[in-house]
Amino acid sequence: MSNPLTRHAGFRLGPIVLGTLVRHYFDRLTKKNGKVLTQLMQDELLYDEAFNIVKRFLELSTYHSVEQLQAFANNRTPSPPSVRVVRLLIPISCCDEAAAYLIEALGGEDHAKRIVGGTKWWQVRGIAGIDAEWITTKKDWQQDKKRRAQSKKDGTTCPSAPPTNDATASPQTSSPEANSTYHSDMDELRCILYAHGGGYFFGSVDQERYSIQRHARKINGRVLAVNYRLAPQYPFPCALQDILAAFLYLIRPPPGAAHQPVNPAHIVVMGDSAGGNLILALLQVLRDTKLPMPAGGVLISPWCDFTHSFPSVHTNTDTDIIPPYGLSLQKPSPLWPPPSDEVTRIARSKLRKRIRQLILLNADGGKAEDCVSPVDSSRRSMTESIASLDEHDEDKPSGMPVDVGTTAPLPSVDEGGSQTIRLHTKSGEILTIDSQIHLYTPNSLLEHPLVSPALSYLGGLPPLIVIAGDKEVLRDEIIYCAHKAVEPSQFPVNDAARKIYPPLVGIESRHQPTPVHLQVYDDAPHVLPVYFGFTTPGKFCYRAIANFIKHVTGMTTSIQPSSPDSVLSTSQPGLLTSEYEERVEDASNLQFLNAMSANDGASPSPDPTRSPMRPSGMRPSRVGFFRVKSSQASPSGLSTSVGKLKSGKRVSLPETRSTSQASQPGVHYAGEASVYCNQAGQSWKEGIIRERVSTRGEIRPLEPKEQLDAFSVPSSMIGVLSERTLRRYMDGRALFDNRFRKDMAATEKLRRRNTDLAKKEFSKVILHLREPRDGKDKVKASTLDPSNGSWGWAWALDEDEKPPPSSIASRRDTDEALRLARTADQAFLQNDVRLSGNNLWTTFMNLISSGPETNRSHFVSETGTR
């Protein structure tokens, strides 16, 4: 039986396609029904059609439950015959190792218990590991195999991994349909660690399969794509533990893994939307725990601010695919919205008592679970809110493009789990929200630096390429974070962030700025290359990302610079000197291996003068560097403030030349290899490359910071909730409450029934847990360890463990919770679905976007080929 969301979207697809076609040709030059047309929509019919389909689908998805949306995104999608897919389970040992590092990053066990509610509940999972997939094109690893064989024949040195027999590879393929095995020939390929998007509560590798395999093809490499655990069943920091475990799995494979350890200098971490947010959090954890850094990071429309502090969230609603009320509202179901705090506390208390009795612990011992009265917490929150509002009103911004009204702070993590937010408007009205806003995390953690990187310190990270769409709602926060990473001293971290995330204390003296390549694509919506890779700017975006990955992982050869009259340059970049191959490290932090210009023969070097999609008659040319303003350049044109990373000291930003001094003899395109090479033949090393990309792929300098809306927001208004943001949420909530009143009543009735049945259902669990105690199952007995966070009931034995209300951990005493856990994990558990929305979308994307080497007419089922 097909998913209700699939049926609903299918019925609406025809009218949307036909209506868009008519409007595209007859009404594209006018504004009709309040819809804002962009140049990209006018230029490309396929984009116009796809934009309206995706936008309408995401709006329709809010009228379905989270369970139905997760099920839709988890449908199996096929890969073309040219792609090799190997499914695997990242083992629990990697998860346990990741948990230890994550607890360290969170400030230790005591601090983690106070901030995120414990150290064990977020280790609960429905399957014995993390579902992931190796994805590569067969052509690439076969060619690499031939190159290494030829090198061996010629007697030249070529690194090679020992062969992997079937016995070693078999533990990786625990699913019957995944009979493809990992070959040792894939070990020499560069590697991308990919985190998919979906607001943290839907999405999967299958949903973005086309985009992921295209990235693998573009770099002639391999991708490890991860199906991390989804909210609201597995809220923050569950997904972060999973992506960290995947990174450790790459660089420190456990016994039995089919692949050899991957050099961190050959790894690039990549994510889109929520996945981009997850990658930023991962890089911070790696930095703060002194783990090896990857060669670079690719952030595609990363979600950087969960408090929606920036103007584009309100100004770009019509031109983006994100629903008008954001990603917080869904049709009510047992999964979302979560039970009230009162119900959660009662359920936790009863479950804890029964588990203690079961394993012969004293149920009367320990501390009281709830030492703070909810009433007292609410009163204190309201008092602090009023005081804070008075402070914020004094610096009301005048340069913001929209009036956001007054602001309110978030609840404190010390308020006993209270979700209440109160805002006093200038007119004296009080706006109150007492429910969890985002599915990923409680309201009190929306400002956590690992949740909202816009509030963190972003220096000390590997080189980043940051992709933003000019018409997406997240545009301003993306631009803001890109500049914050490269100029951390200009964006100081507030004391609240340091208090909630201890590694930020004194961090400025330990790390230097992060090199950033920022690209803003004209007229582009959210996640341009993921859903709209077939468009002209989408193709250039893939090219730019591949060029960046090849550069930071050392896949490109030395690029000859353009002549002075053919280089469009507003500045000179930080440069890689003769010492650039040395490792950057100091006593307090292990940095990534710098292999930016080494050529190991892993892939043929791209032709720097070749610029596909170039209009006829235009001469090939190379692009220079677009930099932020600075004071004075040296007579040679090179920066006078370039520091050497070898010293391990903080370096200042390179100085630049003014725009008026630059010559512009030709047109330059995104993705040209010479973007990272200056006239002296030296490679980009530090600072920021700021580019705006047209709908035809042409690049030009991004406007100065003072002309960008991202920098019109006072620092005091970043990380708090504005009146405009709260009203938008409350308006959407009122609409959904009215539309789904009956569904909410049915959900509450179901929850009461499940509560009454909890004792009966728990008896089944007791039978399984008693067996190890009775010595019937020695294997189970070894896993019944209260100190092991991976054991599903370990959290219940610790008084300090307080899982969030939506967490599946605090609701596992009911059959409902077990069913919901299976829903979240069905990306690994379910069988193939031959006909699905993902299936149709992937086929469509392949047909209109595949290269000539791809067989466009033949797609097969994944069964037996993955």
Side-chain angles (χ1 to χ4, degrees):
M1 184 177 180
S2 62
N3 187 288
L5 180 54
T6 304
R7 297 196 303 270
H8 193 182
F11 288 138
R12 299 295 183 92
L13 181 62
I16 292 173
V17 172
L18 182 59
T20 302
L21 178 64
V22 173
R23 192 195 71 252
H24 181 83
Y25 285 110
F26 294 100
D27 299 328
R28 61 180 180 174
L29 300 180
T30 63
K31 294 181 180 179
K32 189 173 182 180
N33 298 328
K35 295 183 178 179
V36 181
L37 292 176
T38 64
Q39 187 64 43
L40 185 57
M41 285 184 178
Q42 297 178 29
D43 292 345
E44 300 193 26
L45 172 61
L46 276 179
Y47 170 73
D48 199 1
E49 293 280 10
F51 176 87
N52 283 280
I53 291 173
V54 174
K55 185 176 181 67
R56 184 56 179 155
F57 167 78
L58 290 178
E59 291 179 5
L60 290 175
S61 70
T62 63
Y63 300 148
H64 293 261
S65 67
V66 174
E67 295 95 319
Q68 292 173 350
L69 184 54
Q70 289 179 349
F72 177 90
N74 288 334
N75 283 329
R76 296 283 178 233
T77 53
S79 292
S82 61
V83 175
R84 183 178 186 84
V85 178
V86 181
R87 296 191 62 199
L88 63 116
L89 264 185
I90 297 174
I92 288 294
S93 60
C94 293
C95 301
D96 293 340
E97 185 180 9
Y101 281 112
L102 186 52
I103 292 172
E104 177 186 347
L106 291 172
E109 288 194 9
D110 292 340
H111 195 78
K113 289 177 179 179
R114 186 175 72 86
I115 300 299
V116 300
T119 60
K120 298 173 183 175
W121 68 261
W122 44 266
Q123 299 188 53
V124 173
R125 58 184 70 245
I127 57 177
I130 304 169
D131 179 31
E133 297 182 14
W134 284 112
I135 300 175
T136 187
T137 58
K138 296 177 181 178
K139 170 179 64 67
D140 290 328
W141 66 266
Q142 289 173 349
Q143 288 180 352
D144 187 73
K145 178 180 180 180
K146 293 178 181 178
R147 281 195 298 269
R148 292 191 296 107
Q150 185 63 37
S151 298
K152 185 176 181 180
K153 181 178 180 181
D154 297 340
T156 58
T157 59
C158 182
S160 176
T164 304
N165 55 35
D166 292 340
T168 304
S170 59
Q172 303 260 348
T173 56
S174 57
S175 180
E177 76 268 17
N179 58 9
S180 293
T181 57
Y182 185 94
H183 283 256
S184 61
D185 307 307
M186 297 164 60
D187 281 333
E188 299 307 316
L189 300 176
R190 293 301 192 264
C191 182
I192 296 174
L193 175 60
Y194 197 94
H196 65 79
Y200 278 113
F201 68 93
F202 73 100
S204 66
V205 173
D206 286 284
Q207 179 176 285
E208 300 185 15
R209 183 171 301 283
Y210 169 77
S211 175
I212 295 171
Q213 65 194 27
R214 188 170 177 180
H215 285 300
R217 176 166 56 86
K218 284 290 186 180
I219 69 165
N220 309 112
R222 51 181 167 157
V223 178
L224 180 65
V226 180
N227 278 318
Y228 53 83
R229 288 171 292 169
L230 298 176
Q233 303 98 312
Y234 301 105
F236 173 80
C238 294
L240 182 53
Q241 183 200 7
D242 288 356
I243 198 69
L244 177 57
F247 183 78
L248 295 173
Y249 177 77
L250 287 176
I251 66 174
R252 303 172 185 173
H259 71 285
Q260 294 296 306
V262 184
N263 186 344
H266 294 171
I267 300 174
V268 168
V269 290
M270 181 188 302
D272 65 273
S273 190
N277 175 285
L278 189 57
I279 292 301
L280 270 175
L282 169 67
L283 292 175
Q284 292 182 73
V285 171
L286 296 179
R287 176 196 65 193
D288 299 332
T289 56
K290 301 179 177 60
L291 284 167
M293 282 287 190
V298 179
L299 308 177
I300 304 171
S301 297
W303 191 0
C304 301
D305 175 29
F306 273 64
T307 62
H308 299 318
S309 307
F310 293 88
S312 59
V313 171
H314 309 290
T315 60
N316 284 355
T317 302
D318 292 335
T319 55
D320 200 8
I321 59 176
I322 302 299
Y325 298 110
L327 297 176
S328 300
L329 300 171
Q330 297 289 144
K331 177 182 177 181
S333 68
L335 184 55
W336 184 262
S340 66
D341 292 340
E342 180 74 17
V343 172
T344 302
R345 280 192 293 268
I346 294 174
R348 259 198 323 240
S349 177
K350 290 183 177 180
L351 178 59
R352 185 166 282 137
K353 181 178 179 180
R354 293 168 187 164
I355 292 294
R356 285 178 161 189
Q357 291 174 342
L358 174 65
I359 64 171
L360 305 180
L361 290 178
N362 182 7
D364 297 328
K367 298 176 292 184
E369 180 180 346
D370 301 297
C371 57
V372 182
S373 167
V375 176
D376 293 339
S377 296
S378 298
R379 289 173 179 170
R380 184 168 68 252
S381 176
M382 182 174 179
T383 302
E384 294 172 355
S385 175
I386 295 174
S388 179
L389 283 173
D390 293 338
E391 296 175 359
H392 292 316
D393 285 344
E394 293 177 359
D395 46 34
K396 170 71 173 66
S398 59
M400 293 182 65
V402 293
D403 182 10
V404 297
T406 57
T407 60
L410 298 168
S412 169
V413 294
D414 296 320
E415 292 182 0
S418 173
Q419 303 283 341
T420 303
I421 299 171
R422 288 184 176 85
L423 182 145
H424 286 232
T425 67
K426 286 186 174 180
S427 62
E429 182 183 1
I430 300 178
L431 304 181
T432 303
I433 294 178
D434 56 7
S435 59
Q436 183 174 323
I437 296 177
H438 290 293
L439 284 77
Y440 182 49
T441 191
N443 296 343
S444 59
L445 292 181
L446 295 180
E447 62 181 347
H448 195 286
L450 297 181
V451 174
S452 292
L455 302 172
S456 188
Y457 179 88
L458 298 180
L461 306 182
L464 303 175
I465 183 170
V466 183
I467 306 297
D470 188 56
K471 298 300 182 182
E472 69 170 303
V473 296
L474 303 184
R475 178 198 63 198
D476 291 344
E477 61 197 68
I478 296 171
I479 294 175
Y480 176 87
C481 282
H483 287 79
K484 186 170 188 175
V486 81
E487 299 178 297
S489 62
Q490 302 298 317
F491 304 90
V493 179
N494 60 47
D495 293 336
R498 299 181 198 273
K499 182 178 179 181
I500 200 172
Y501 187 56
L504 295 182
V505 177
I507 195 172
E508 292 84 356
S509 62
R510 299 194 299 269
H511 299 289
Q512 51 202 348
T514 298
V516 175
H517 183 181
L518 171 64
Q519 289 188 325
V520 181
Y521 285 76
D522 288 347
D523 292 346
H526 192 53
V527 291
L528 168 67
V530 177
Y531 292 131
F532 310 103
F534 52 85
T535 63
T536 299
K539 293 174 182 178
F540 279 106
C541 187
Y542 274 104
R543 189 180 303 275
I545 291 173
N547 182 40
F548 171 84
I549 294 175
K550 291 179 179 180
H551 175 67
V552 298
T553 59
M555 295 177 66
T556 54
T557 56
S558 299
I559 303 172
Q560 295 299 323
S562 302
S563 60
D565 62 348
S566 65
V567 177
L568 175 63
S569 177
T570 60
S571 68
Q572 293 296 331
L575 303 173
L576 285 173
T577 65
S578 59
E579 300 169 338
Y580 67 88
E581 292 178 324
E582 299 189 18
R583 244 178 117 176
V584 181
E585 61 181 341
D586 56 33
S588 63
N589 185 34
L590 181 61
Q591 297 291 339
F592 66 92
L593 298 174
N594 191 345
M596 285 189 174
S597 66
N599 180 19
D600 61 358
S603 172
S605 301
D607 182 358
T609 64
R610 180 173 176 266
S611 181
M613 303 297 295
R614 181 183 291 109
S616 60
M618 289 190 177
R619 179 173 62 87
S621 59
R622 296 180 178 88
V623 64
F625 303 90
F626 303 122
R627 301 295 303 280
V628 293
K629 64 178 183 178
S630 65
S631 53
Q632 181 179 358
S634 63
S636 64
L638 299 180
S639 168
T640 60
S641 62
V642 175
K644 293 182 180 180
L645 290 177
K646 180 184 177 183
S647 64
K649 304 295 185 181
R650 173 184 289 273
V651 295
S652 58
L653 285 177
E655 298 179 4
T656 63
R657 294 182 291 177
S658 64
T659 306
S660 61
Q661 294 174 323
S663 60
Q664 302 185 22
V667 179
H668 308 275
Y669 292 83
E672 293 183 357
S674 57
V675 69
Y676 302 120
C677 179
N678 75 340
Q679 298 176 23
Q682 297 170 308
S683 296
W684 172 63
K685 174 184 180 181
E686 59 184 24
I688 183 170
I689 303 174
R690 307 170 75 251
E691 296 175 340
R692 185 177 282 278
V693 185
S694 75
T695 57
R696 294 183 296 176
E698 302 165 353
I699 59 174
R700 64 187 188 276
L702 186 65
E703 299 89 327
K705 289 199 305 183
E706 56 268 19
Q707 298 180 19
L708 298 173
D709 292 342
F711 303 99
S712 66
V713 186
S715 59
S716 60
M717 296 188 66
I718 299 175
V720 294
L721 293 174
S722 69
E723 178 183 342
R724 192 183 187 98
T725 298
L726 289 185
R727 287 193 183 277
R728 185 183 74 159
Y729 173 80
M730 294 175 70
D731 290 345
R733 182 69 182 269
L735 186 150
F736 273 67
D737 287 346
N738 182 63
R739 182 186 182 105
F740 298 112
R741 186 181 296 107
K742 294 182 179 179
D743 296 274
M744 194 64 206
T747 297
E748 292 299 331
K749 182 178 180 180
L750 179 61
R751 284 175 176 166
R752 288 193 298 269
R753 187 189 68 179
N754 286 331
T755 301
D756 295 336
L757 294 176
K759 293 182 180 180
K760 297 180 181 179
E761 295 295 329
F762 196 78
S763 61
K764 300 178 182 178
V765 180
I766 290 178
L767 292 176
H768 290 284
L769 292 179
R770 281 195 182 278
E771 289 181 0
R773 301 292 300 177
D774 297 337
K776 295 181 180 180
D777 190 337
K778 295 182 179 180
V779 177
K780 288 184 179 181
S782 64
T783 63
L784 188 59
D785 181 6
S787 64
N788 183 1
S790 298
W791 178 50
W793 296 105
W795 69 268
L797 303 176
D798 193 332
E799 287 288 354
D800 294 324
E801 294 285 326
K802 299 180 178 63
S806 69
S807 170
I808 205 70
S810 62
R811 304 165 66 184
R812 285 174 69 105
D813 57 318
T814 66
D815 182 69
E816 167 203 353
L818 297 177
R819 177 176 57 82
L820 296 178
R822 288 193 295 269
T823 299
D825 295 321
Q826 67 179 337
F828 177 79
L829 297 175
Q830 75 168 31
N831 294 323
D832 289 357
V833 178
R834 296 176 181 270
L835 179 60
S836 67
N838 277 343
N839 215 321
L840 297 175
W841 180 256
T842 301
T843 302
F844 169 71
M845 295 283 282
N846 276 282
L847 287 174
I848 65 176
S849 307
S850 297
E853 74 281 1
T854 304
N855 184 349
R856 300 188 180 191
S857 61
H858 183 209
F859 288 87
V860 297
S861 169
E862 295 288 75
T863 304
T865 63
R866 301 181 61 191

